[in-house]
Amino acid sequence: SVEESSLLRVYAYGTPSCVDAKLADSVDSFVTTVVLHDDVFPRLTPTSCRGLLKHLLHIRETWVKTHIEEDLRAVGERAKTVWAPKFRQSFTLGSTSSSTTIKKYCKKQFQKGKKKLLSVTEKISR
């Protein structure tokens, strides 16, 4: 006679925790679950999800409200320096190198780029 457990063999990879302990014990003889060493989904339970949500809400109430304005201001200041135009002393256009010529040149290049971006955006939205 062939044992029932030898008729069926189940191999599961990274499955979520979706059965209770009693059912898990009853299928233990023919189900093998493989879990990557740091995979979070097989370790999630309703209790751990509630704990994580509680912790995130606590962080939102304490840390975010306290520091959000400072963080946004810091990001804005960094963005200004990252995308600010850089002018070098040796930058010349044609025969003159006045700052108005440089500003006109940069404005023209910016307008060209803006037109290209708008035309691509229009093509995507169609």
Side-chain angles (χ1 to χ4, degrees):
S1 144
V2 179
E3 290 184 30
E4 286 184 21
S5 64
S6 67
L7 293 176
L8 178 64
R9 221 41 216 149
V10 177
Y11 297 95
Y13 300 94
T15 58
S17 174
C18 59
V19 298
D20 62 1
K22 186 177 178 180
L23 180 58
D25 289 340
S26 68
V27 299
D28 189 35
S29 63
F30 61 92
V31 174
T32 302
T33 302
V34 179
V35 177
L36 187 63
H37 68 283
D38 59 354
D39 193 357
V40 70
F41 288 103
R43 292 171 176 80
L44 288 177
T45 63
T47 305
S48 65
C49 288
R50 280 192 295 274
L52 177 61
L53 181 60
K54 185 178 177 182
H55 180 69
L56 291 174
L57 290 173
H58 173 73
I59 287 172
R60 184 180 74 179
E61 293 299 316
T62 57
W63 186 83
V64 172
K65 286 184 179 179
T66 305
H67 300 289
I68 191 72
E69 288 181 24
E70 180 184 339
D71 288 350
L72 290 174
R73 187 172 31 260
V75 168
E77 289 301 316
R78 279 194 304 253
K80 287 178 189 176
T81 60
V82 168
W83 291 301
K86 305 257 189 288
F87 296 110
R88 293 176 182 85
Q89 294 292 7
S90 64
F91 185 75
T92 60
L93 297 172
S95 60
T96 62
S97 63
S98 68
S99 62
T100 55
T101 306
I102 293 171
K103 287 178 184 177
K104 286 179 184 177
Y105 173 79
C106 290
K107 186 175 182 180
K108 188 186 294 185
Q109 294 302 318
F110 177 75
Q111 292 297 330
K112 283 182 183 178
K114 190 175 179 182
K115 286 178 186 176
K116 287 180 183 178
L117 180 63
L118 288 174
S119 68
V120 169
T121 307
E122 289 172 0
K123 289 178 184 177
I124 292 172
S125 64
R126 286 183 196 167

